Structure formats: structure tokens, C-alpha cells
Amino acid sequence: MKYPPVQNFVNGQFVAADSNRFLQVVSPLNGEELSKVPMSSASSLNEAVAAAKKAFPGWAKTPIKERVQVFFRYKYLLEKHLEELSQLCSEENGKTLSESKAEIEKSVELAEFACSLPQLITGEVLEVSKGVECRTEHVPLGVVASIVPFNFPSMVPNWTIPNAIALGNCMILKPSEKVPLSAGRLAELLKEAGLPDGVFNIVHGDVEIVEAICDHPDIQAVSFVGSTKIAKIVYQRATHNYKRCLALGGAKNHLMVLPDAIPGMTAQNVAASMSGCAGQRCMAASAMVAVGNVDHIIQKIVEEAKNIVPGKNLGAVINKESKERIERYITEAEEQGAKVLVDGRKTVVQGSENGTYVGPTVIDFVKPEMAIAKEEVFGPVISIMRTNTVDEALAIENANPYGNAASVFTQNGGAARYIIDHASAGMIGVNVGVPVPREPFSFGGWNDSKFGVGDITGKSSIEFWTKLKKSTVKWNPEAGVNWMS
Ligand code: NAD
């Protein structure tokens, strides 16, 4: 094993989990065994929650302008350790080094946003009648939990850590058991940045820990990012226990390409969107709807795809099961009449034969009823469907139960606005393949891509991580008494 066994992080220390059940952590890049991760049981969670609960009163009372000083230092430490964090992220997740660097740079931006929270959460005060003031303030919730997926070992934890903690909460992070290593480094950097012990804790595990988080009486709020199947389970269980919950699920994002789209720019965006992070992004384009004759653009997409080389500018998918699942989708679509223009099946990277790579794959003449057109494939694959009108394209997009993102490629502003208005998705791109809103704008899909109110990042996250206190105040007896106060 390249690294020692993974440990939980409780009250500022790495501690062994209360379990002998471990899962192997294997690098998708080459099959190397990196470490093993414990599947903690509920008693480990209880310890972490107790530490967080103990730390909460002191942390909540610390003025926010002091709390964010930790995140100024954390941001600097992320920048200082960018190379090393990127390396670790690539090793455990399989993405390329430059994709990992982008992930850490995004984490820097997330920490930077948290530093601006004092400017954003000033309350409101108004004299509502003579001598009587109403005021509002944002108050932290207490102990909160963040359950995260495998595809962004650093960025998705950083969607929640800086904002929830800067706003005065204490957190339990439950990393993905497939990529548990980066989280430990984040814990070390938070400690080095001056975060008091107990404010941030990590408990590793799988179903048992997630269920225990949803059931724990001292956890006030749960955020979840992962597949829709598990998002629904977590949302139901946490809210059944009267917790606040925001659960982000999977996606099936459609790119609608109109004949007037700029060919080179469109092809580059489509290829980058479907293949970035080996297609393992909830914002990845996995379906393209060709509106009218865009054969000249499809030809350019094929050329772009051929320049994407596994092991060079294309990373690995997370494991063997994923590779097999993605390849099954391609084969099934081909058997049902779709035409594979670029085929990424059976990819082996020389020198990394145990890596789990799928090459870039472009499939044309996919029908909306095929599984590859409807389901989340989560691999570097784009399925092209053909329609005659924008309304037919929208009907395909809107028939899909997900609603994370949709994009349109066109030079026609009216057509773009029509798609913005009529696509049932939370994040829309115009000539942008991965329409992720950057801070201070918030991130979040619609429909089966998100359960709960509000978004997970940006300004919208303030409402999720705090509760509003309203006070009505009168000092001067001359104010008198009226029917409202
Ligand atoms: P996943 O749902 O399998 O796992 C997510 C988390 O849930 C992990 O921490 C895992 O340990 C836990 N988990 C797994 N099975 C569980 C069960 N039966 N009960 C309770 N907890 C369980 O997701 P994943 O494979 O790690 O990540 C990929 C998925 O995440 C994709 O569907 C992707 O679209 C989605 N995702 C969505 C967003 C978004 O913003 N909407 C962002 C990133 C990833």
C-alpha cells in the first residue's frame, strides 16, 4: 500500500475507526493499491458528533469576521499545496493532473467566497413603528453533515466546508469510500489554518454511516451530493427525522446544437464537456440534440474526439465496474441501430494496463427511447439524437427526469432565449458546454437532480446553513404601545 490506512478525523486528531471492516482504495490510473479505508460504525459517528457539539458554542460565538480569517489562511494553504493536492486527487480519482489542478483552483475560489460572507450576511434593521425596531440576523444551525461523491474528492467537499463552517456551524464530512484520501489533507490544512478542534470532523464509511447521520438527533442539517437513487433515500430519511436536507442527485445534460452554431467553437465545447473528468461530472454533456442539418459540426466533433487520448488528456473512470457499465451502454445502443463514430471501448493504456480507461466515444443516430439516451452514463460518451425543430429538441430534454443542466449552441439570440425559457433545468449554457455558475452565483439543478430548497453554493447556501432570528426591540417608553408592538 502506498499510503497508511485511512483514519477518521475527530476533535482535531486522526483516530482509528471502531471497525475492522476496510475497503481497498485503488488508483484508477493504474490499479495500484493506495490504501484501505475503514467502514466506521455508528459509535465512531457518535464520537465525532459529540466533539462537534462540544465545539459548537465557542465557534458559533466567535464573530464571523474572525471565523473567516481561518478561510483566508485555508485559501492560501490550498494554493501553497496545489501541486501535492492535485497529485493526490488524480491518484485516487483517476482524472488528469490538469483536471485535478482545476479542481483545487475551484476549491480556492470556494474558500475565497466564504471569506466574503461577512459582507453578505449583514442583517436588516427597520424602525417599523415609532421607537420600535425589527432586526434580522443569520444564526448557525449547530452540528451539520456533508455526504459527498467520488467524482470531485476536493471540490465537492469544498462546496460545503467553507460556507457551513464560516457561517458558524460544526461539520461532519462523510467522504466517498472510493476517494477518501484528499479529505484527510483538507482536514490537516484546516487545522493548520487555525480551525479549532472539533469544528471539522471526518467519519469514513458507507451505508451504515449515512443512515446514522440521517438518524442522529444532534445533527441539524444534512447536505448530500451523489446519485439520484441515494439522494432520494437520504432526503427522505433526513427529513423524516425533521432535519433540514439538501440532496443533489445525478444528471443527464443535453446540448442542443442549431445549424447556425459556430462549428469550431461548438465542436470544442461539446468534446470538452463530454470528455472532461472522463465524463464523470454531473455537468457533463452526455446527449447532444442536433436540430436540423448539423453534419458539418458533427464531423468536427469527431475530429476533436480523435485528439482526446486516454492516459494523456483523458483520465480513467473510477473502477472496472464503471468501465464495464459504460461499455455495455455503447454496445447496447449499437445493437439497437445507433452508429458508433468514435469508439472508446476496450481501451488499454500502455504502461498502465491495470488502469480503467474508456476512450472518447461519439455515437450518432441514437433514439430517445434507448437507455444510453435516457440514463446517466457517467463516462466520456456523447449520444447524438436528430430532430427537425427546437421544440422537438426541448421535448427530448424536458422528458428526461433529471434537470441539472442544458446548453444551446447558436448565434441566434432569440432561439437561445427561447431555450433558456423553456428548458426544464436549473443551469443553462449558451455556447457553453459546462454551464457551472461561478461564485457568487449558486450551483444547483432542478427535478430529479436536486431535492430540497435552495442551492448548495454561493449566496443561496446562506439560507441553508443558517436560520433567521427576528427581534423586535423598543427601549424608550415614549414609543408607547400600539396594536402590533
Ligand atoms: P453515490 O450516490 O453512489 O454515493 C454518494 C455518497 O453516498 C457516497 O458518500 C456513498 O458512500 C454514499 N452511499 C452510496 N450508497 C449508499 C446507500 N445505499 N445508502 C446510503 N449512502 C450511500 O454517488 P457516486 O457514485 O459517488 O457519485 C456519482 C454520482 O454523483 C453521479 O450520479 C453524479 O451525477 C452525482 N453528482 C451530482 C452532483 C450534483 O451537483 N448534482 C455533483 C457531483 C456528483
Side-chain angles (χ1 to χ4, degrees):
M1 276 191 317
K2 182 164 183 187
Y3 300 108
V6 174
Q7 294 192 310
N8 292 337
F9 185 77
V10 177
N11 206 22
Q13 306 296 327
F14 285 101
V15 293
D18 59 341
S19 162
N20 290 324
R21 192 162 69 89
F22 284 86
L23 295 181
Q24 264 193 324
V25 183
V26 173
S27 177
L29 293 174
N30 51 20
E32 182 184 5
E33 189 181 1
L34 296 176
S35 182
K36 58 178 185 174
V37 58
M39 296 299 102
S40 315
S41 70
S43 72
S44 284
L45 178 71
N46 291 342
E47 263 175 54
V49 174
K53 199 176 168 188
K54 188 158 168 262
F56 177 67
W59 184 241
K61 279 201 184 77
T62 305
I64 187 165
K65 282 171 85 77
E66 279 179 42
R67 290 197 300 251
V68 299
Q69 297 312 312
V70 171
F71 290 97
F72 278 107
R73 292 188 289 269
Y74 177 62
K75 172 186 177 290
Y76 158 76
L77 290 170
L78 289 173
E79 286 167 335
K80 182 175 164 193
H81 295 282
L82 188 129
E83 288 292 332
E84 164 226 329
L85 289 164
S86 309
Q87 194 71 43
L88 188 61
C89 178
S90 282
E91 274 186 322
E92 63 174 341
N93 172 277
K95 61 181 74 177
T96 66
L97 198 56
S98 64
E99 288 166 346
S100 293
K101 282 183 183 164
E103 168 162 357
I104 307 304
E105 280 160 6
K106 180 67 198 177
S107 302
V108 168
E109 183 173 66
L110 291 158
E112 177 186 292
F113 175 75
C115 295
S116 72
L117 282 167
Q119 276 56 256
L120 297 173
I121 67 149
T122 51
E124 295 175 319
V125 181
L126 182 73
E127 186 182 41
V128 290
S129 62
K130 191 164 173 45
V132 179
E133 274 177 8
C134 280
R135 61 182 261 181
T136 58
E137 53 202 300
H138 290 273
V139 176
L141 303 174
V143 180
V144 299
S146 174
I147 303 162
V148 291
F150 78 79
N151 62 331
F152 285 96
S154 182
M155 180 191 80
V156 172
N158 278 307
W159 278 357
T160 57
I161 297 168
N163 292 357
I165 293 180
L167 289 165
N169 301 289
C170 293
M171 177 176 276
I172 313 295
L173 179 76
K174 207 301 279 174
S176 163
E177 61 278 28
K178 295 177 186 133
V179 295
L181 300 169
S182 294
R185 278 301 284 140
L186 299 183
E188 286 172 335
L189 298 184
L190 285 164
K191 187 169 166 122
E192 191 179 339
L195 192 69
D197 291 349
V199 175
F200 177 69
N201 306 274
I202 300 173
V203 182
H204 292 281
D206 55 8
V207 188
E208 190 180 339
I209 284 302
V210 172
E211 290 181 349
I213 286 172
C214 295
D215 294 345
H216 203 293
D218 290 331
I219 294 179
Q220 308 301 324
V222 177
S223 75
F224 172 90
V225 181
S227 61
T228 292
K229 182 178 159 210
I230 312 302
K232 284 181 174 172
I233 294 171
V234 168
Y235 186 76
Q236 274 191 341
R237 194 157 177 149
T239 55
H240 176 78
N241 287 317
Y242 309 111
K243 293 182 202 313
R244 202 176 267 207
C245 184
L246 188 57
L248 274 61
K252 185 80 192 174
N253 306 313
H254 294 74
L255 303 180
M256 290 166 254
V257 177
L258 276 52
D260 71 344
I262 299 171
M265 181 174 86
T266 304
Q268 276 172 2
N269 272 267
V270 173
S273 179
M274 68 97 158
S275 67
C277 299
Q280 300 174 122
R281 289 188 286 192
C282 66
M283 294 296 279
S286 77
M288 175 181 139
V289 190
V291 181
N293 185 352
V294 298
D295 285 352
H296 59 298
I297 299 176
I298 293 173
Q299 202 181 328
K300 282 205 175 302
I301 293 170
V302 167
E303 285 163 22
E304 287 287 338
K306 287 184 176 159
N307 291 328
I308 299 168
V309 183
K312 289 205 169 79
N313 54 355
L314 178 67
V317 298
I318 189 70
N319 55 27
K320 199 164 152 270
E321 292 74 42
S322 262
K323 177 175 160 72
E324 286 168 3
R325 190 197 66 246
I326 297 161
E327 293 188 346
R328 254 197 320 275
Y329 273 116
I330 302 168
T331 302
E332 197 184 288
E334 189 178 43
E335 285 167 1
Q336 291 171 356
K339 194 169 168 201
V340 181
L341 303 180
V342 183
D343 191 351
R345 286 172 291 185
K346 300 197 173 76
T347 294
V348 176
V349 171
Q350 288 219 332
S352 300
E353 284 77 5
N354 292 325
T356 43
Y357 294 87
V358 178
T361 301
V362 181
I363 314 178
D364 202 355
F365 300 106
V366 169
K367 299 280 177 229
E369 57 278 11
M370 293 178 185
I372 202 167
K374 293 194 290 196
E375 295 167 17
E376 183 172 39
V377 176
F378 231 48
V381 179
I382 189 103
S383 303
I384 303 174
M385 289 171 272
R386 306 278 187 145
T387 62
N388 293 317
T389 66
V390 165
D391 282 322
E392 283 168 25
L394 278 165
I396 291 174
E397 145 66 26
N398 292 347
N400 197 273
Y402 297 108
N404 227 32
S407 286
V408 55
F409 287 84
T410 181
Q411 294 182 75
N412 179 335
R417 183 68 237 180
Y418 186 79
I419 284 170
I420 292 173
D421 287 343
H422 292 89
S424 181
M427 294 171 279
I428 310 287
V430 176
N431 297 318
V432 172
V434 186
V436 174
R438 288 184 62 173
E439 277 49 37
F441 297 95
S442 64
F443 182 100
W446 287 1
N447 310 331
D448 276 3
S449 294
K450 190 188 70 187
F451 305 92
V453 177
D455 284 336
I456 200 161
T457 64
K459 289 187 199 171
S460 182
S461 72
I462 296 171
E463 300 310 320
F464 184 70
W465 295 121
T466 60
K467 52 193 175 188
L468 213 53
K469 178 158 281 185
K470 289 74 61 178
S471 42
T472 303
V473 181
K474 157 168 80 180
W475 294 111
N476 189 341
E478 286 169 13
V481 176
N482 67 27
W483 65 279
M484 283 295 281
S485 56

